[in-house]
Amino acid sequence: MNKKNGKDPTTLFVGVDLGTSKTAVVTDNGMKETILSVVGWPKDIVARKFLKREILIGEDVMKNRLSLKISKPLEEGTVKDNPEDRKAAKELLNHSLQLAKSGKKYDKVFAIVGAPSQTDHINKTKLMEICRELTDSIMLVSEPFAVAYGIDSMNHSIIIDMGAGTIDLCRMHATLPEEGDEISLPRAGDHIDRILKELVEKDYKGASIPLTIARKWKEEHGFVGKATNKVIVDVPLEGKETSIDITEQVRAACESVMTDLIFALKGLISSYDSEFQSELKKNIILAGRLSQLDGAVEYIRKGLQDMGPVEIRKVEDIMFAGAEGACRLAKEMPEEYWTSME
């Protein structure tokens, strides 16, 4: 790296998986952290006096949400285009980088940020503008590419990053992704939450389900295919706590994202070089929190059964796989790349 006063400057390499629901951060000094991707400001002077803070981030927002104006700055994997949400995105990234520094001073901070596949030029520009103010040099890569890099699955593989805002697919063939290698699907975890809320409220008159509760049900009980157990939950109906069976509603909501996913997978496989399609089909990898839906691997395998044998597996670390890959790429990036981007 560049010299300062005759000595190598202290440099921090950071990998960030910028998610609609959660943001994961990994550094080369061993720090690993996740933050809820939500930012809040006190609603009024009373809230400000009570909270004794001008801004809250992550779990603190959810604990004090009734006193706050809240921003979820990322929607379907992109920064919302208004001043408040852009400010929130900057605060979220700055908070992530401060965690990465762990109170230490660094001469330079080089970061790679994972963004959804096929993020358009406008959204990349917005992200770059925000990040450049916070780091010495910044690079954006697709989230599934970062996962592939981190787990050494760079050739004849398909990475599926199943997140809250988007489901991103990337076909790897030992190069940077080319046109036709990446697909981003807008129906993902947040879509499941909305559908589950609507189905339960439709089938149980008088039920009013916050999205936070629907998300909790999905995370605790989400499944596709055959149910192993009934999903029984308690909800207030006409002011009385009542146990209801939402097994079929959970199944329908979770399976609502699978048709598009299987269709996209078939397209990536069938358009690949025919000589290597069999290898590609044996190396399909699921990442992201939504990949933890019970039955997901078998459901996708059945959806692809008309294409012959396939092998599907999940990454070992669903929370940090993307950020780990981004950090590793940052560390292994040749010096001249960082220098030129500065």
Side-chain angles (χ1 to χ4, degrees):
M1 288 296 173
N2 295 334
K3 300 284 185 179
K4 181 182 283 188
N5 298 326
K7 296 181 180 180
D8 288 327
T10 305
T11 303
L12 180 68
F13 296 99
V14 185
V16 181
D17 185 351
L18 196 59
T20 302
S21 175
K22 286 192 174 183
T23 293
V25 185
V26 173
T27 70
D28 68 324
N29 64 12
M31 193 281 291
K32 296 171 70 172
E33 191 69 66
T34 61
I35 312 122
L36 283 177
S37 300
V38 60
V39 179
W41 294 270
K43 284 182 177 179
D44 52 35
I45 191 171
V46 175
R48 188 177 294 110
K49 183 175 181 181
F50 171 74
L51 294 167
K52 297 182 175 64
R53 281 176 287 176
E54 292 296 323
I55 188 166
L56 287 80
I57 295 172
E59 291 286 355
D60 285 346
V61 175
M62 305 312 296
K63 293 175 183 176
N64 298 281
R65 62 183 181 274
L66 300 183
S67 305
L68 300 171
K69 294 182 291 184
I70 296 175
S71 167
K72 291 186 69 176
L74 302 164
E75 188 171 51
E76 296 182 356
T78 61
V79 179
K80 294 179 183 176
D81 196 15
N82 62 71
E84 185 174 83
D85 288 315
R86 286 170 69 93
K87 179 182 177 183
K90 183 176 179 180
E91 293 288 352
L92 177 63
L93 276 165
N94 184 52
H95 181 73
S96 302
L97 291 170
Q98 293 308 314
L99 286 174
K101 292 177 182 178
S102 303
K104 299 177 182 178
K105 290 186 177 181
Y106 292 90
D107 290 330
K108 289 185 179 295
V109 177
F110 294 155
I112 291 183
V113 177
S117 300
Q118 295 185 315
T119 298
D120 63 34
H121 176 73
I122 294 173
N123 281 296
K124 283 181 179 177
T125 301
K126 284 189 289 186
L127 277 174
M128 290 292 283
E129 287 173 354
I130 292 168
C131 294
R132 278 200 188 101
E133 297 177 30
L134 305 174
T135 64
D136 293 284
S137 194
I138 183 75
M139 179 179 176
L140 297 182
V141 299
S142 75
E143 288 164 347
F145 176 85
V147 172
Y149 196 90
I151 62 175
D152 289 317
S153 190
M154 297 291 289
N155 198 25
H156 305 319
S157 65
I158 295 178
I159 312 297
I160 307 171
D161 187 23
M162 304 175 69
T166 57
I167 294 177
D168 298 310
L169 301 89
C170 185
R171 184 175 61 193
M172 300 300 304
H173 43 92
T175 67
L176 289 171
E178 299 172 349
E179 185 176 353
D181 286 330
E182 296 182 297
I183 298 174
S184 190
L185 305 173
R187 292 184 179 183
D190 289 347
H191 174 80
I192 292 175
D193 301 339
R194 292 191 292 269
I195 295 298
L196 181 54
K197 168 184 167 65
E198 292 170 5
L199 290 175
V200 173
E201 290 179 345
K202 176 186 174 184
D203 294 338
Y204 292 94
K205 303 301 181 185
S208 180
I209 311 300
L211 277 173
T212 52
I213 296 301
R215 183 175 302 114
K216 181 174 181 286
W217 291 342
K218 174 196 67 185
E219 291 175 351
E220 293 180 356
H221 308 290
F223 74 96
V224 292
K226 186 177 180 180
T228 54
N229 297 291
K230 286 189 174 182
V231 181
I232 308 296
V233 297
D234 292 331
V235 299
L237 292 177
E238 298 180 351
K240 180 182 178 182
E241 201 75 6
T242 306
S243 293
I244 61 174
D245 183 343
I246 61 168
T247 308
E248 290 308 311
Q249 290 83 357
V250 171
R251 184 210 309 274
C254 293
E255 290 182 359
S256 69
V257 304
M258 288 295 179
T259 301
D260 289 348
L261 170 56
I262 291 170
F263 181 82
L265 257 176
K266 286 184 174 182
L268 287 178
I269 294 169
S270 61
S271 61
Y272 201 51
D273 188 306
S274 58
E275 183 179 350
F276 302 108
Q277 284 185 17
S278 61
E279 292 182 58
L280 189 70
K281 289 187 290 185
K282 293 178 181 178
N283 202 14
I284 299 172
I285 302 160
L286 306 185
R289 296 178 71 196
L290 198 59
S291 69
Q292 298 306 293
L293 290 174
D294 284 349
V297 168
E298 185 58 30
Y299 192 95
I300 295 170
R301 183 183 290 116
K302 285 183 178 179
L304 299 175
Q305 62 186 357
D306 59 337
M307 304 194 80
V310 298
E311 294 181 19
I312 304 170
R313 61 185 173 92
K314 300 177 185 179
V315 296
E316 294 183 4
D317 190 343
I318 61 164
M319 194 62 67
F320 291 104
E324 287 271 19
C327 182
R328 178 180 173 184
L329 179 60
K331 289 188 293 183
E332 296 178 359
M333 183 81 71
E335 178 180 342
E336 58 268 23
Y337 278 75
W338 287 119
T339 304
S340 65
M341 286 192 291
E342 287 181 65

